[in-house]
Amino acid sequence: MTKKSFLNLTVISFLLIIFAAVSINFNSQTYNFGNRGKSFLTNFTKNVNDITLISIESFDNNIDLVKEENGYVSKSGYPLKIGIWENLITSLSLLRIEEKKTNDPKRHAELNLLPPELNNSDLESEGYASKITLTKKDGSVYSSILFGKTDPSVGGLSGGQFTRMPDNNQSYLLKGAIRMPTSKSDWFESLLFTIQNKDFLSASLINQSQIFKVESAEQLLKLSYPKNLSFKVDQSKLSDIRETINGFYFYDVRKSKIKNLNNLPTLSFETKSGLILSLSSVKQDKEGESWIIIKAKAKKLGAKKIADEITSKTIGYEFLANINTSDILRWNIQNLAEKDK
């Protein structure tokens, strides 16, 4: 072989290698982008009217939405925020495939695509997906989807989101993203009432017997029951009691089965305008957030409107209170003592 022939053969071989590499890369790109623009949920709009149950499972957002007439309500029957289920349905219908991503299960955690039911932590959600399961009226599952991290670089109003099916390791980057609350309480109008400090008159805790009574005294709060204590009262604790009703939000809601409120730990408030408000723990729990029942009535005519509004929001339901309210319902008189500095 001459030097010229060898050189020509080397050049041709090099060009073939380049062509092969480009061809492999092109085929790979064609494979990854082959379904671009295709609807992720096939025939979703044709099936949406048959979907009677939407189950959502994630770290702090477990809820079932049940079909009722032409809309959805929570399984508890408590009304959802206006427009919230419509946003979810619309966002699901608009999801389009942008490209295929990894099918390596070891990389699912990077995209927050691990099944949420595998998460045993009460504190950590990193790596785990939000799971949406759509069930039809015949009981069959139309689709179950894991939704992970969002990617704003995709473009459009919602950007993009990583997703996969629970029984398939293949993941996708979608154009569009699901629109729904990240916590359960945000599905509802969770602010039940707001009572300003200036309208506070008194608060009493009863647990079998009266534990304490706090009253407003001009610009201060004072403990009117019990008297003759052997310790100095912590004023901040009295403020905590009053502020329980400053703005009452719930974290969760369910139908109530309690018929008799007797002997339940109850925190009762009276306002200067004549509102009587009671928060009753449904059981004698020792820690954590408590489920409570809320009752409102008017002692004066001027409080009737707000009492009726609160009753319309709370009758027949139990609400998961925050930890501060829950702890106060468990207090005894010693909890009001000022700590040594």
Side-chain angles (χ1 to χ4, degrees):
M1 179 182 294
T2 66
K3 184 176 181 181
K4 183 177 180 181
S5 298
F6 178 76
L7 182 61
N8 289 338
L9 183 60
T10 300
V11 171
I12 291 171
S13 298
F14 177 74
L15 291 174
L16 286 173
I17 291 170
I18 294 297
F19 177 78
V22 170
S23 178
I24 291 171
N25 185 60
F26 177 78
N27 289 333
S28 175
Q29 293 297 317
T30 301
Y31 173 74
N32 286 342
F33 293 94
N35 292 321
R36 173 174 277 184
K38 181 180 177 182
S39 177
F40 182 66
L41 294 175
T42 306
N43 296 322
F44 177 72
T45 54
K46 293 181 180 179
N47 287 275
V48 67
N49 289 331
D50 289 332
I51 295 171
T52 57
L53 176 64
I54 302 173
S55 298
I56 297 162
E57 183 181 358
S58 67
F59 177 68
D60 192 30
N61 192 12
N62 297 308
I63 189 171
D64 289 331
L65 309 182
V66 181
K67 189 76 172 286
E68 186 176 277
E69 297 180 353
N70 295 320
Y72 290 87
V73 298
S74 70
K75 199 169 185 177
S76 69
Y78 201 81
L80 302 172
K81 280 182 181 176
I82 295 174
I84 205 160
W85 68 262
E86 293 93 334
N87 286 342
L88 175 59
I89 293 293
T90 300
S91 65
L92 286 169
S93 71
L94 295 176
L95 296 175
R96 298 291 183 268
I97 295 175
E98 182 73 6
E99 63 176 298
K100 281 188 174 183
K101 303 302 286 186
T102 183
N103 60 3
D104 182 359
K106 294 180 181 178
R107 298 188 61 194
H108 286 163
E110 299 174 23
L111 304 177
N112 285 2
L113 287 177
L114 296 175
E117 60 267 24
L118 299 182
N119 188 1
N120 296 318
S121 171
D122 293 330
L123 303 173
E124 184 58 60
S125 63
E126 187 66 27
Y128 295 92
S130 293
K131 183 178 181 180
I132 298 180
T133 302
L134 308 172
T135 304
K136 300 173 72 173
K137 58 186 175 183
D138 63 3
S140 63
V141 174
Y142 165 69
S143 188
S144 185
I145 318 109
L146 299 175
F147 289 97
K149 288 182 177 179
T150 56
D151 184 351
S153 69
V154 174
L157 292 175
S158 301
Q161 189 164 20
F162 295 97
T163 187
R164 72 179 181 93
M165 302 300 185
D167 58 354
N168 193 325
N169 287 328
Q170 180 62 60
S171 63
Y172 296 86
L173 176 60
L174 304 179
K175 186 171 185 177
I178 53 168
R179 295 199 299 272
M180 69 176 189
T182 56
S183 64
K184 188 169 183 179
S185 63
D186 288 336
W187 288 91
F188 310 100
E189 296 291 353
S190 58
L191 176 60
L192 294 177
F193 53 82
T194 298
I195 307 297
Q196 295 184 9
N197 285 345
K198 65 181 181 180
D199 197 28
F200 174 86
L201 183 62
S202 67
S204 299
L205 176 62
I206 297 175
N207 191 351
Q208 305 295 329
S209 60
Q210 189 170 25
I211 306 300
F212 59 70
K213 184 174 183 179
V214 179
E215 293 183 345
S216 176
E218 298 180 356
Q219 300 299 317
L220 300 174
L221 297 173
K222 69 176 183 178
L223 191 69
S224 61
Y225 179 88
K227 298 182 182 296
N228 302 320
L229 295 173
S230 60
F231 56 80
K232 186 177 180 180
V233 174
D234 187 339
Q235 281 293 317
S236 69
K237 296 292 184 70
L238 302 187
S239 295
D240 289 343
I241 294 166
R242 180 182 61 184
E243 290 169 5
T244 298
I245 56 174
N246 274 174
F248 188 92
Y249 292 85
F250 65 84
Y251 291 162
D252 201 352
V253 58
R254 68 187 184 190
K255 283 280 190 185
S256 179
K257 298 179 181 179
I258 301 294
K259 302 297 182 182
N260 189 350
L261 294 180
N262 292 339
N263 299 321
L264 293 177
T266 298
L267 192 57
S268 295
F269 297 86
E270 183 175 350
T271 69
K272 294 174 183 176
S273 59
L275 175 68
I276 306 296
L277 195 58
S278 67
L279 316 179
S280 299
S281 180
V282 301
K283 64 178 183 178
Q284 297 273 6
D285 45 10
K286 295 182 179 180
E287 60 183 12
E289 290 90 354
S290 298
W291 287 93
I292 67 170
I293 292 172
I294 299 171
K295 299 286 185 181
K297 62 181 181 180
K299 189 176 179 180
K300 299 178 182 178
L301 186 60
K304 187 177 185 306
K305 182 180 179 181
I306 187 172
D308 289 346
E309 287 177 356
I310 294 172
T311 298
S312 69
K313 296 177 184 179
T314 59
I315 189 168
Y317 293 97
E318 296 171 8
F319 301 91
L320 190 63
N322 64 36
I323 191 63
N324 291 334
T325 301
S326 304
D327 282 343
I328 291 172
L329 281 161
R330 290 187 282 263
W331 276 1
N332 56 50
I333 193 62
Q334 295 298 325
N335 290 107
L336 299 181
E338 188 175 75
K339 293 182 179 179
D340 295 331
K341 296 181 181 180

